[in-house]
Amino acid sequence: MEHEGAEGGAMTGSGEHCDVAIVGGGHNGLVTAAYLAKAGLSVTVLEKNAAPGGAALTEEFHPGFRNSVAAYTVSLLNPRVIADLDLHAHGLRIVERPVANFWPVDDTRYLLMPYGLAARQRAIAAFSARDAARLPAYDAALDRAASVLRDLALATPPNAGDGWTGLLRHAGLGRRLWKLGLADQRLVTDLFTKSAADFLDGWFENEVVKGALAFDGIVGAFAAPSTPGTAYVLLHHCFGEVNGKAGVWGHAIGGMGAISAAMAKAATAAGARIRTGAEVKRILVEGGRAAGVVLSSGEVVRASRVAANVGPKLLFRDLVAEGDVDPETRRRFLAIKTGSGTFRMNVALSALPDFRCRPGSYRQDHHGSGIVIGPTLDYLERAYLDARLHGWSLEPVVEMLIPSTLDDSLVDGDKAPKGAHVASLFVQHVSPRLPNGRSWRSIHEKEAFADLVIRTVDAHAPGFAASVLGRQVLSPLDLETRFGLVDGDIFHGQLSLDQLFSLRPVLGHADYRMPVPGLYLCGSGGHPGGGVTGLPGRSAAREILRDARRRL
């Protein structure tokens, strides 16, 4: 698949006009482009990097080794988006992990969490028979809550100031929530307001079991499991499915870039144009309305509407001029809380890791799972507190995936040694801004923490450090510089109670329409938030089409 470069052919110079210009070719921008183009609008996607996909990108980071650069696993990609855009026909293939997750606890104990309720109960029973007995009721409760919130995730949130039209449009949504029984109303309230630790304390007793379940509550959140609101983050990661199987995690053959490639093919097949190497410098506003964009090259791309697939904080900090929006509204957008506490690494390995608690460097089911170093609730708590005090965790939480156990296309056998593999390390916590005058601009800081991460894995799998042939290291600053993730925030804004649903990104603009008429938000900073879901892009496209048909 080819994309037009900024300097390519008929695209040079000023004067291009389209119905919708999309700022940023991340996966949500591509989804928006595909839906709009399928509806007959002329669409131009403008991506600053050399390839579309944003953080969902695959590249070679060491000779013979390819991997997903930032985004790293599949579950939240919505089946409606897959079907609507016919992504499988455009080359997408997703395979399932053999088991869900593997938690090394110490030299002899581990929790290997398979799929299936009975198997998971057996695994948990090794730590607590009572917790194993409670698991079916816990799963059922989360399933009920997730079923309600899946409907909400597909909808445009009620927007302050919508008047009677908005009230009528969202009446069905309100009825769905009103019809919940008292027990489920309490459940949903708990999940939206409590910490993951408090929520899990009401269900389980064992610290290893609670730590394993609390992990989803801190993924992408610069927060402790005791932080109010992390129960919702836990639920957010329970929405997923792979190949129609709820709760299953998987891998896109070819890495996360394969998802973006399929979306780009769907968009271009529908008639959208994707321009790479085309960095947007500012939103063009004329007569109080978005009228296009100005590129860093000086070129003007005019458009009847503009959709921004960048974080809302970045949008109003860097791309919308101060005079184009009232000061109080701009202040609100700049005050959006950002920061995932995330550090990303990709490593080339000469061999699979050999864990003390589950020996064997030959391929086993746990090698194809999500390997999480974060054995207890207390460990997760300390990791956050350390990062707040020191700038990074002294004992970091590490989620390691070895996707080459599922996808041999990631390792080139002609360049890499026999038995080599590639691993993703998703690490928490690091502060976006280091204390005491330190900075992520320092290569010393970045490499020192990367060394600590390798030692953390090596403590559970001796020989891991020696097996590392090469590595790619991305600090929060790198994630912002390369992908526009302000403070390294993978969700474009934290999933806290004050930044969800009608409050996302800010109250009054939850319907994807920004305070500048004709300007829309189509990225993860809009409802329902982050992860490779495609849903913000889908919903933004729906609202853009609604306005286009009404000629607003």
Side-chain angles (χ1 to χ4, degrees):
M1 179 179 55
E2 297 181 356
H3 307 292
E4 298 177 78
E7 305 303 320
M11 301 303 293
T12 57
S14 301
E16 180 188 355
H17 187 280
C18 55
D19 292 322
V20 183
I22 297 178
V23 182
H27 85 279
N28 274 309
L30 298 172
V31 167
T32 303
Y35 277 104
L36 295 178
K38 282 167 63 74
L41 299 187
S42 59
V43 182
T44 297
V45 179
L46 301 159
E47 167 58 44
K48 72 172 184 175
N49 291 315
L57 180 71
T58 304
E59 69 179 17
E60 185 176 70
F61 67 94
H62 187 75
F65 294 85
R66 299 168 61 244
N67 203 21
S68 308
V69 178
Y72 63 100
T73 193
V74 183
S75 181
L76 300 178
L77 182 60
N78 192 267
R80 192 80 62 89
V81 173
I82 294 173
D84 288 350
L85 304 187
D86 203 6
L87 296 183
H88 292 308
H90 290 292
L92 179 63
R93 181 183 166 215
I94 300 173
V95 294
E96 302 160 23
R97 295 183 195 171
V99 295
N101 288 303
F102 167 63
W103 284 268
V105 177
D106 51 34
D107 286 356
T108 60
R109 296 183 302 157
Y110 62 86
L111 175 58
L112 183 68
M113 197 73 85
Y115 299 121
L117 177 58
R120 292 169 66 231
Q121 283 183 284
R122 286 193 294 271
I124 287 174
F127 294 89
S128 168
R130 178 185 179 276
D131 288 353
R134 291 283 283 160
L135 187 65
Y138 173 81
D139 278 0
L142 284 190
D143 284 347
R144 294 196 307 274
S147 69
V148 173
L149 295 183
R150 282 191 187 98
D151 290 346
L152 298 186
L154 293 168
T156 299
N159 201 45
D162 272 351
W164 285 105
T165 301
L167 289 174
L168 290 171
R169 187 189 308 163
H170 299 293
L173 201 61
R175 282 196 297 271
R176 173 74 192 273
L177 294 173
W178 185 256
K179 286 181 179 179
L180 291 177
L182 181 59
D184 283 349
Q185 289 181 28
R186 288 170 173 163
L187 172 65
V188 171
T189 300
D190 284 348
L191 286 163
F192 268 87
T193 60
K194 285 188 174 183
S195 71
D198 284 345
F199 182 72
L200 292 167
D201 279 343
W203 288 94
F204 303 108
E205 63 181 7
N206 183 268
E207 287 297 300
V208 171
V209 173
K210 287 190 287 187
L213 297 174
F215 172 71
D216 280 340
I218 66 163
V219 171
F222 189 30
S226 64
T227 303
T230 48
Y232 173 77
V233 182
L234 185 157
L235 181 65
H236 184 84
H237 287 96
C238 294
F239 289 165
E241 63 178 71
V242 166
N243 299 331
K245 299 177 182 178
V248 172
W249 291 84
H251 169 77
I253 297 298
M256 297 299 283
I259 297 174
S260 300
M263 290 173 172
K265 288 177 182 178
T268 54
R273 305 170 95 168
I274 300 173
R275 296 182 56 184
T276 55
E279 182 178 20
V280 173
K281 183 178 181 181
R282 66 181 174 91
I283 307 298
L284 180 65
V285 178
E286 293 178 346
R289 182 180 178 85
V293 300
V294 180
L295 304 186
S296 294
S297 65
E299 178 188 351
V300 175
V301 177
R302 294 191 169 272
S304 302
R305 290 171 178 81
V306 176
N309 182 33
V310 298
K313 195 171 188 175
L314 184 147
L315 176 62
F316 286 90
R317 185 190 71 184
D318 297 349
L319 302 183
V320 175
E322 284 191 45
D324 289 333
V325 66
D326 74 82
E328 172 58 19
T329 299
R330 184 172 186 272
R331 185 190 70 79
R332 288 278 180 179
F333 277 91
L334 297 187
I336 290 171
K337 293 184 297 184
T338 49
S340 294
T342 298
F343 192 92
R344 270 290 279 124
M345 296 176 63
N346 293 302
V347 293
L349 302 175
S350 61
L352 289 171
D354 185 355
F355 289 90
R356 278 197 178 102
C357 61
R358 204 165 198 260
S361 58
Y362 51 90
R363 188 178 303 186
Q364 300 185 66
D365 52 3
H366 69 274
H367 286 124
S369 73
I371 302 165
V372 183
I373 297 173
T376 65
L377 202 58
D378 184 58
Y379 186 105
L380 303 183
E381 190 79 18
R382 287 198 316 271
Y384 169 74
L385 295 175
D386 281 350
R388 292 302 298 259
L389 182 62
H390 304 291
W392 65 50
S393 301
L394 303 181
E395 294 180 286
V397 180
V398 182
E399 181 183 15
M400 178 167 68
L401 274 71
I402 311 175
S404 52
T405 60
L406 305 174
D407 179 5
D408 58 12
S409 75
L410 299 177
V411 178
D412 185 341
D414 293 331
K415 296 180 182 179
K418 184 178 180 180
H421 282 276
V422 64
S424 299
L425 303 177
F426 181 87
V427 188
Q428 294 180 246
H429 294 280
V430 294
S431 174
R433 286 168 293 282
L434 297 176
N436 304 320
R438 294 152 54 209
S439 171
W440 287 116
R441 297 185 186 280
S442 166
I443 190 69
H444 169 75
E445 297 284 356
K446 188 164 69 170
E447 294 301 322
F449 186 69
D451 289 342
L452 175 60
V453 172
I454 297 296
R455 290 197 302 272
T456 300
V457 179
D458 194 79
H460 289 273
F464 177 79
S467 75
V468 175
L469 303 173
R471 67 192 194 188
Q472 179 182 46
V473 180
L474 298 171
S475 71
L477 179 62
D478 294 322
L479 292 171
E480 176 166 353
T481 301
R482 183 165 182 188
F483 301 116
L485 303 176
V486 175
D487 295 328
D489 197 315
I490 63 172
F491 293 155
H492 287 195
Q494 293 178 2
L495 297 178
S496 54
L497 182 59
D498 59 337
Q499 295 185 172
L500 293 176
F501 201 49
S502 292
L503 306 179
R504 189 171 188 89
V506 299
L507 186 65
H509 297 285
D511 62 357
Y512 311 98
R513 297 170 179 86
M514 294 293 95
V516 177
L519 177 63
Y520 302 80
L521 186 69
C522 66
S524 294
H527 175 73
V532 181
T533 71
L535 290 180
R538 177 181 183 270
S539 293
R542 181 178 61 239
E543 299 307 316
I544 293 168
L545 287 170
R546 180 175 284 134
D547 288 352
R549 288 163 183 154
R550 296 162 59 196
R551 301 197 177 188
L552 295 178

